[in-house]
Amino acid sequence: MRYPLAIVPVAFVATLSAQAPAAVFIGGQPVPAPPWDAPHLEFDVASVKTNKSGPTMMAMRTLPTSFNMTNIPLRILITQAYRLSSYQLVGGPNWLDSERFDIVAKAPEGSRPDQVPLMLRGLLADRFKLKVHAETRETQVYALVLARDDGKLGPKLSKTTDDCEKILAERRATAAAARAGGAGPVPFTPPGPNEKPVCTINMSTTPVPNGLPLLNFRGGGQPMQMLVNQISSFLNKRVVDRTGLTGLYDFQLQFSMGTQMPLTTQAPGTGTTTPTAPIDDGPTMFDAVRELGLKLESERGPVEHLVIDSVERPTED
C-alpha cells in the first residue's frame, strides 16, 4: 500500500521530461551537447525575477533568438544549460529546488539553437555566480537487458514496419516547402492518446479510480537509445543499453504516476505532511519494462557528475 498525493500537479508530465536535457536540433538532426567546460556565451539582454506563485505550472520556450522560462527551479535551469540529467547534478543549497525563477532573454541576431545552452551557462555564472566542476563517480546504474534467453520480445515491443527514413524526409520536405511559400513551418500534429505514433513519441494518461493515473509513454519507429534515455529520465538513474537490439522499434510503457511521487502530501496551511487514503500500488517502471520483454539489472558503474562549488541568489532586475 502507499499514500498518494492528494492533488496531482498540473505540470507533472512536464516535470518528468525536465529531468532529462532538452534536445537541440538543426536541420532536423540532433546536435551533440557542448562540452561542460566549453566557453560561455552571453545573451544580448536578460531579465531574472523570482516567481512567488508556488509549485504550479512551469513553462519553457526556446526560439533561435529568444529564451523564456517561467516558474522554474534553479536546478532545472542548470540541467538545461549543461544538457545533463538531474541525477548527474550534485551539491548546492536547498533553495535550488524550492525557489523558482522567471527568465526572459534575447539572443544576438544570427545565433544558432546550439548556442543557447552556452548563453544560459553565461547567465547562470553572471547572475547566480554559479561555479561548477566535473567529476566521475562510481554509483548505482541500471543495465537494460533481454529478459529471455531466446531473445523473444514482450507484447509491448516490436520492430517497426514503418519506413521512418522516408516518412521523416517527407515531413521535412513539407515544412521546407511551406517556408519557401511564405507560410512558415508546418506544425507537426502529434498522434492522439489512442493512436499509434508513427516515427515519433507521445505521452498520455489513463485515469484510475481512487488513485493516481497511469502514464502511457509510446514510441513509433524509435531506436533503443531513445527508449533507454527515457527510462533513465523516469528512474533518475543512468541506464546502460545491453539489449543488443538494433534498428527501430514500436513500444509502449505504462506505469503508475504514484510510483514516481512522494508518499505524503502537505496539508494546506499547516506546513506539515498528512497521509491521504491508501491505495494499491499500480505498475512500476520495472513492471512496464518487463512488458517489453526486457528487464533492469542493478549494478555499479562510473557516472559523470557536475558538482556545484558555489551559487548565490540573483539580484533581480
Side-chain angles (χ1 to χ4, degrees):
M1 308 289 281
R2 70 183 289 112
Y3 296 91
L5 293 180
I7 300 175
V8 178
V10 175
F12 179 72
V13 172
T15 301
L16 281 177
S17 61
Q19 292 177 5
V24 175
F25 293 84
I26 295 180
Q29 298 299 315
V31 178
W36 290 355
D37 58 353
H40 297 164
L41 298 177
E42 293 184 359
F43 290 110
D44 266 353
V45 291
S47 169
V48 178
K49 297 184 181 299
T50 301
N51 188 307
K52 300 292 188 180
S53 64
T56 56
M57 179 64 78
M58 298 187 298
M60 307 182 200
R61 182 175 175 81
T62 301
L63 298 174
T65 58
S66 65
F67 178 87
N68 299 295
M69 282 193 166
T70 303
N71 203 31
I72 305 296
L74 183 57
R75 188 174 299 277
I76 290 180
L77 289 172
I78 297 172
T79 60
Q80 294 301 312
Y82 284 88
R83 301 276 298 280
L84 52 93
S85 297
S86 60
Y87 66 84
Q88 295 177 279
L89 186 61
V90 177
N94 292 336
W95 59 264
L96 253 66
D97 300 290
S98 60
E99 298 186 15
R100 292 162 179 258
F101 301 92
D102 297 341
I103 293 180
V104 179
K106 184 179 183 300
E109 289 295 329
S111 298
R112 302 189 312 271
D114 61 313
Q115 293 176 315
V116 173
L118 294 174
M119 296 178 199
L120 183 54
R121 294 179 195 182
L123 182 145
L124 293 172
D126 178 45
R127 304 296 293 276
F128 292 85
K129 309 305 178 188
L130 177 67
K131 295 181 180 180
V132 297
H133 73 273
E135 282 185 18
T136 299
R137 299 183 177 184
E138 192 84 3
T139 186
Q140 183 196 30
V141 301
Y142 287 108
L144 185 67
V145 301
L146 296 173
R148 294 174 51 130
D149 292 337
D150 62 7
K152 184 177 180 180
L153 302 180
K156 295 188 177 180
L157 178 66
S158 60
K159 201 98 171 186
T160 190
T161 58
D162 296 316
D163 186 347
C164 286
E165 184 176 352
K166 178 182 178 182
I167 291 170
L168 294 176
E170 290 173 349
R171 289 176 185 170
R172 290 192 292 268
T174 300
R179 287 194 296 270
V186 177
F188 171 67
T189 303
N194 298 316
E195 296 179 317
K196 173 184 176 293
V198 177
C199 306
T200 187
I201 58 176
N202 75 329
M203 278 193 274
S204 63
T205 57
T206 300
V208 175
N210 302 317
L212 293 171
L214 298 178
L215 181 64
N216 305 295
F217 181 72
R218 303 180 67 187
Q222 300 298 313
M224 286 303 299
Q225 190 57 52
M226 194 286 305
L227 176 60
V228 166
N229 291 344
Q230 291 300 323
I231 295 173
S232 173
S233 173
F234 290 128
L235 292 177
N236 200 28
K237 293 283 186 182
R238 184 187 177 201
V239 177
V240 182
D241 180 15
R242 294 212 180 99
T243 63
L245 298 177
T246 59
L248 303 179
Y249 290 83
D250 300 336
F251 65 85
Q252 180 179 6
L253 288 169
Q254 185 180 67
F255 55 95
S256 172
M257 290 169 66
T259 64
Q260 302 289 317
M261 294 179 135
L263 302 183
T264 57
T265 184
Q266 190 173 76
T270 66
T272 60
T273 57
T274 303
T276 61
I279 61 170
D280 289 332
D281 280 337
T284 67
M285 173 60 71
F286 297 88
D287 298 324
V289 167
R290 281 192 287 269
E291 289 290 304
L292 304 178
L294 309 174
K295 62 180 179 179
L296 289 160
E297 296 182 341
S298 180
E299 58 184 50
R300 304 286 293 182
V303 176
E304 191 173 10
H305 291 80
L306 190 71
V307 181
I308 297 175
D309 297 316
S310 61
V311 65
E312 301 176 9
R313 290 182 174 90
T315 302
E316 296 193 20
D317 45 21

